[in-house]
Amino acid sequence: MKYHIVTYGCQMNVHESEKIAGLLRSAGYSEEAPVEEADIVVFNTCCIRENAENHAFGNIGALKKLKRQKKGMLIAVGGCMAQEAGKAELLVRKFPFIDIVFGTHNVAELPSLIERKRREKKVVSLLPDRAATEDGAEAYRTSYPNAWVNITYGCNNFCTYCIVPYVRGREKSRSADRIIEEVRALVAAGYKEITLLGQNVNSYRDGETDFPALLDRVASVDGKFRVRFMTSHPKDFSARLVEVMKKHDKICNLLHLPAQSGSSRILSLMNRRYTREQYLEKVALLRREIPEAEITTDLIVGFPTETEEDFAGTLSLVEEADFSSAFTFVYSPRTGTKAATMEGQIPEEVSKERIARLIGRVNENTRRKSERYVGKTIEILCEDFDAKKGLYLGREPLGRMGYFASAENCVGKFVQMKVTRANGVSLYGELI
């Protein structure tokens, strides 16, 4: 039997899909296949932004004809959208050909749901909500030489625009010892880059072990590998974390620090619990201690009541914080969040015009920073081969993707590349 997984959203969902693949393989599904050949199709959804939700609805609906043709095929929908209040019922009404719906808290029970569905042919399986737990699902990892390691589940921050605490539950940290065991096993298995994942890694705590202490332990594991982590909430970013980053060469000096807005007024409405000035103080702290460090960020435009002055603050923040790159979004109201009921919703045409200006400013910064690499030799961890370009590709420690030619298979190897040209966030060069 074969499976097909469709993933929406962030790296946390990518890793969750690896766990789903591991569960399916334990349940007798032998390999991943195109959707037309699959015996089970799993949608691992995201509801953080409306665009991802609409894509999921469209792709699920597109399977209606295939499902009619393949009577034995199962369709399962999981992830944030399935966990959101009322969405499971909506999915079943809108797509009655769905067989299984499971939430973010029930991933480990997918095999038992499959068995239940086989016994109850006409019943869509629904599970009750319960607190997020550290499931024991072994991931079927598909991102070699990179590996994702969850250190927390859920979120306690309740930003007014964000649905995550309502669908992922309250924050829960994994055991530090179990995390270290997992990292050691991954390094022993040949993985060369470990990324620690959490909605807010900086608030991690297991007894006396906080995130800087955990990061120190991870980076002290023997072996040649890199360490990354995401996401860091600015309000919890600390001098101790910078000390640990500075201490270990294994830790990449690339920090993803979502600002969301450059206006202190908007940040207050977002319940981010820091000001523009405090954010820039954190940036200055990092750059003072690690001058070569780079920062990426998330930025939202069109939040309720955002004025042109507020937006100008976001534009200027791009320059002042000197971001390496940024993920930019138009504010998307999420039912159940405080911001969705705020007065002063911004017209769509205004938001679109602002996002275009913001993207232009970010891209200009990104191109300028990439040009600085030309003529330099950098270390690349080769991740894959791009058949269309006929080039190998991988990232350097500060996150730029590098492309190069090689007669040998370089996947999983650290190589030295001299940069000959830059194109946006991408670098091209020759092996040394």
Side-chain angles (χ1 to χ4, degrees):
M1 295 188 294
K2 301 177 181 179
Y3 66 90
H4 182 86
I5 302 174
V6 184
T7 306
Y8 304 87
C10 62
Q11 294 298 345
M12 294 187 72
N13 267 25
V14 172
H15 181 44
E16 196 164 82
S17 289
E18 291 182 332
K19 292 182 179 180
I20 291 170
L23 290 163
L24 291 174
R25 285 176 173 257
S26 72
Y29 291 86
S30 59
E31 61 180 303
E32 188 159 14
V35 65
E36 296 80 11
E37 301 174 17
D39 298 290
I40 184 170
V41 179
V42 181
F43 291 90
N44 187 13
T45 63
C46 174
C47 66
I48 293 177
R49 291 180 177 84
E50 187 177 16
N51 195 37
E53 193 169 288
N54 289 341
H55 280 161
F57 276 127
N59 290 337
I60 294 168
L63 287 188
K64 181 177 182 179
K65 183 177 179 181
L66 181 62
K67 172 72 171 176
R68 197 160 46 230
Q69 294 169 348
K70 293 186 66 173
K71 299 295 185 184
M73 184 178 76
L74 296 180
I75 296 176
V77 180
C80 293
M81 194 169 78
Q83 191 73 43
E84 188 179 355
K87 280 293 168 66
E89 293 78 6
L90 174 62
L91 283 163
V92 174
R93 289 198 307 272
K94 191 174 181 71
F95 309 110
F97 51 88
I98 289 175
D99 298 288
I100 298 168
V101 177
F102 63 100
T104 56
H105 306 162
N106 314 118
V107 172
E109 299 180 61
L110 181 57
S112 63
L113 285 174
I114 293 171
E115 288 304 312
R116 178 177 158 189
K117 174 59 188 174
R118 286 172 177 161
R119 294 194 305 270
E120 304 170 14
K121 296 295 184 181
K122 296 182 180 180
V123 178
V124 174
S125 300
L126 297 169
L127 285 182
D129 177 70
R130 49 180 178 270
T133 59
E134 180 182 331
D135 64 68
E138 182 177 352
Y140 178 69
R141 298 184 183 272
T142 57
S143 301
Y144 177 85
N146 304 315
W148 323 103
V149 176
N150 281 108
I151 67 169
T152 66
Y153 298 93
C155 183
N156 290 345
N157 288 312
F158 290 92
C159 300
T160 58
Y161 55 81
C162 186
I163 196 71
V164 167
Y166 304 98
V167 297
R168 291 277 177 181
R170 301 305 294 268
E171 189 174 274
K172 179 180 173 65
S173 295
R174 290 182 64 197
S175 156
D177 289 342
R178 289 192 63 178
I179 292 168
I180 298 303
E181 287 173 11
E182 185 175 351
V183 170
R184 285 195 180 119
L186 288 166
V187 173
Y191 287 89
K192 301 298 196 303
E193 185 168 295
I194 310 296
T195 302
L196 307 179
L197 295 176
Q199 295 295 337
N200 177 17
V201 292
N202 291 343
S203 60
Y204 173 89
R205 181 166 289 277
D206 176 31
E208 296 300 312
T209 303
D210 60 6
F211 182 61
L214 175 69
L215 186 62
D216 188 31
R217 288 185 64 184
V218 169
S220 298
V221 171
D222 290 336
K224 165 72 171 171
F225 65 99
R226 292 177 182 168
V227 180
R228 301 186 191 271
F229 54 90
M230 61 186 306
T231 295
S232 290
H233 196 299
K235 72 178 177 62
D236 299 316
F237 184 73
S238 68
R240 282 190 59 238
L241 178 54
V242 176
E243 288 175 10
V244 174
M245 292 176 66
K246 189 175 180 179
K247 174 182 175 182
H248 292 280
D249 290 338
K250 288 176 182 174
I251 302 173
C252 295
N253 291 324
L254 175 68
L255 178 69
H256 188 64
L257 195 65
Q260 306 300 3
S261 175
S263 161
S264 293
R265 187 183 75 83
I266 293 296
L267 288 171
S268 177
L269 290 175
M270 289 178 167
N271 192 36
R272 293 292 287 175
R273 287 175 278 179
Y274 55 85
T275 64
R276 173 196 176 95
E277 291 73 25
Q278 288 169 335
Y279 182 90
L280 288 171
E281 285 172 6
K282 310 270 184 171
V283 171
L285 166 66
L286 178 67
R287 295 244 166 82
R288 185 168 59 247
E289 296 299 319
I290 311 175
E292 69 275 17
E294 292 285 6
I295 299 170
T296 59
T297 196
D298 295 345
L299 296 168
I300 297 172
V301 304
F303 190 81
T305 77
E306 182 188 65
T307 65
E308 184 62 27
E309 182 181 359
D310 293 321
F311 174 65
T314 299
L315 283 179
S316 65
L317 187 71
V318 173
E319 301 296 336
E320 201 165 340
D322 196 24
F323 296 124
S324 176
S325 63
F327 298 96
T328 57
F329 308 95
V330 171
Y331 166 71
S332 175
R334 301 283 78 195
T335 302
T337 63
K338 188 174 180 179
T341 60
M342 287 181 178
E343 294 183 356
Q345 299 290 323
I346 304 300
E348 183 179 359
E349 60 272 19
V350 174
S351 294
K352 285 184 175 180
E353 189 273 336
R354 287 177 181 170
I355 195 72
R357 278 193 281 159
L358 179 60
I359 290 171
R361 182 71 58 88
V362 168
N363 288 348
E364 181 182 324
N365 228 36
T366 299
R367 284 192 296 270
R368 176 174 51 80
K369 283 181 168 287
S370 292
E371 289 293 336
R372 295 175 183 172
Y373 282 85
V374 177
K376 295 181 179 180
T377 297
I378 57 177
E379 183 184 70
I380 296 285
L381 172 57
C382 184
E383 300 177 2
D384 206 350
F385 179 75
D386 187 325
K388 289 184 179 180
K389 293 184 177 181
L391 298 172
Y392 285 93
L393 66 144
R395 283 184 297 169
E396 50 92 34
L398 298 179
R400 289 290 192 271
M401 189 67 73
Y403 292 84
F404 59 91
S406 174
E408 299 179 5
N409 184 353
C410 294
V411 175
K413 297 179 181 179
F414 290 99
V415 299
Q416 298 295 313
M417 185 187 91
K418 183 174 182 179
V419 180
T420 56
R421 68 183 179 93
N423 181 18
V425 294
S426 300
L427 309 174
Y428 294 81
E430 302 169 348
L431 289 188
I432 300 298

